[in-house]
Amino acid sequence: MTVASRIFKLSCPKSELRLDITLQCGQSFRWREVGPGLWRGFIGNKLWTLSQDDSHIFYQTHSSCQKEEEKGTLSNTSKRKKNSNRKVSSDISALKNDMKATEDRRGDIVDVNGEVTLEAMLRDYFQLDIPLGKMYSVWAKADTNFAAVCPQFPGVRMLNQDPVENVFSFICSSNNNIQRITMLVDRLCRLYGTPLVTVDGITWYSFPGVSSLAMPGVEEKLREQGFGYRAKFIHKSAQMIMEKGGEAWLHSLRSLPYQDCHSQLMCLNGIGAKVSDCICLMSMGHLCAIPVDTHVFQIAARDYLPHLRSCKTVTDKVYREIADHFRSVFGDYAGWAHSVLFSADLKKFETLKTEDKPPKRRKKQMEKDIT
């Protein structure tokens, strides 16, 4: 039987987190927009549904069995959850109406039983302890290009992801687009993950463990399923990780300095400098890492380093120059600032550039404030 937890809310303005950009800008490939402004995906091994208004994040989790827990998973307060076969509403307004009928309960990081609370998981995943609005202000003062972009792209955060999911998702990203990466990651979960919960007729699977991906026959199976040359990279990398100590080894890389962590990741099959930087930034805590792909190269050549326009390929030297330049402009959190610029340049977010555009008078005052 599938049940959903009660709905909780967390005070968080869009200037600190904007779900639609953060969850669609190519960091994670397991989130789906199941209704207008309603996002469903995994944090840890829990399936979450998220939405937001201008001042709050609304969240609930889904479980495959009836269970009551304190501080964020109480499941018997909403009448619509009595019938487990009844479709969960995909209308954000309905979600907010449900929220009005529930008590706002805030959990501490750890409850009295020593369990990590849902709020703590949410805060950790979105790294909400980092004051993004203040950082935007600093970056805007440091860079006029960022100042021009940031008003339409607030709340773009780096996710704090599980290293296993992050590594194998980005091996799938090689020479690929977001839509196809999402398809391959979903297929990987269905092939080697475990079914966890079915919601609205869709079964959601756990991300495979490294040992599952290291088993004999994985490469051949993945090739049959359309992974192409990535099948070998996935299988060989999983085997290498197991030889080095398994998932514990991968997690231990978080304690290494950036350059050491980056080098260790590049020892794995299918992981070059860019993918290694993605992993460093998104799951290893190295927030200065700058993944430089063709898209980022184009941004750098157009807006920051015009002498690179004559370069036809991103050589190791060019890669380092671009990354070092972004770090010199934006500092220790350069990877976050780079993600805002990257998102602002994606075609899928083109319409956001005209939404909520400030009037000329207000825009002039904003420009004055940051100079």
Side-chain angles (χ1 to χ4, degrees), residues 139-140 142-150 299 302-304 326 330 341:
W139 294 331
D143 177 37
T144 56
N145 186 52
F146 188 94
V149 163
C150 68
I299 295 172
R302 183 190 66 210
D303 299 327
Y304 295 95
F326 277 113
F330 297 112
L341 298 172

Side-chain angles (χ1 to χ4, degrees), residues 318-333:
V318 169
Y319 189 105
R320 288 193 299 270
E321 182 179 0
I322 292 171
D324 288 344
H325 181 79
F326 277 113
R327 281 188 279 267
S328 70
V329 173
F330 297 112
D332 292 341
Y333 288 80

Side-chain angles (χ1 to χ4, degrees), residues 158-320:
M158 299 308 305
L159 305 176
N160 183 22
Q161 301 182 59
D162 175 71
V164 174
E165 178 178 335
N166 200 209
V167 164
F168 290 100
S169 293
F170 274 88
I171 290 177
C172 291
S173 74
S174 175
N175 296 314
N176 231 337
N177 57 56
I178 291 177
Q179 183 177 0
R180 180 164 168 76
I181 300 166
T182 300
M183 180 193 70
L184 291 179
V185 170
D186 180 68
R187 192 170 296 172
L188 195 66
C189 294
R190 290 178 179 275
L191 287 170
Y192 294 104
T194 302
L196 294 180
V197 62
T198 299
V199 182
D200 296 347
I202 298 174
T203 300
W204 296 76
Y205 292 74
S206 66
F207 199 88
V210 177
S211 59
S212 297
L213 298 176
M215 294 188 302
V218 168
E219 179 181 345
E220 292 75 16
K221 183 68 172 179
L222 292 181
R223 285 188 182 276
E224 292 173 2
Q225 294 295 320
F227 283 75
Y229 62 85
R230 303 171 193 87
K232 179 180 179 179
F233 294 159
I234 291 170
H235 190 213
K236 294 297 184 184
S237 286
Q239 290 179 325
M240 291 178 69
I241 291 171
M242 293 304 296
E243 290 169 1
K244 291 175 179 289
E247 296 183 12
W249 171 80
L250 193 58
H251 282 265
S252 74
L253 299 184
R254 286 175 159 173
S255 64
L256 297 179
Y258 164 59
Q259 290 295 348
D260 293 341
C261 180
H262 189 266
S263 297
Q264 288 290 318
L265 289 167
M266 285 184 65
C267 292
L268 300 176
N269 277 63
I271 296 184
K274 191 267 289 191
V275 169
S276 181
D277 271 322
C278 287
I279 299 165
C280 284
L281 177 61
M282 300 171 191
S283 65
M284 295 295 173
H286 295 295
L287 308 183
C288 66
I290 306 291
V292 180
D293 60 5
T294 301
H295 194 72
V296 174
F297 166 76
Q298 292 170 347
I299 295 172
R302 183 190 66 210
D303 299 327
Y304 295 95
L305 301 168
H307 65 277
L308 296 182
R309 294 172 189 173
S310 60
C311 298
K312 295 182 179 180
T313 59
V314 181
T315 63
D316 290 345
K317 181 181 178 181
V318 169
Y319 189 105
R320 288 193 299 270

Side-chain angles (χ1 to χ4, degrees), residues 7-11 56-59 99 104-106:
I7 300 166
F8 295 85
K9 69 177 181 179
L10 172 66
S11 179
H56 289 85
I57 300 294
F58 300 88
Y59 62 98
M99 185 61 233
D104 178 18
R105 301 181 64 191
R106 288 176 53 95

Side-chain angles (χ1 to χ4, degrees), residues 32 186 216 358 365:
R32 302 179 189 176
D186 180 68
Q365 182 61 43

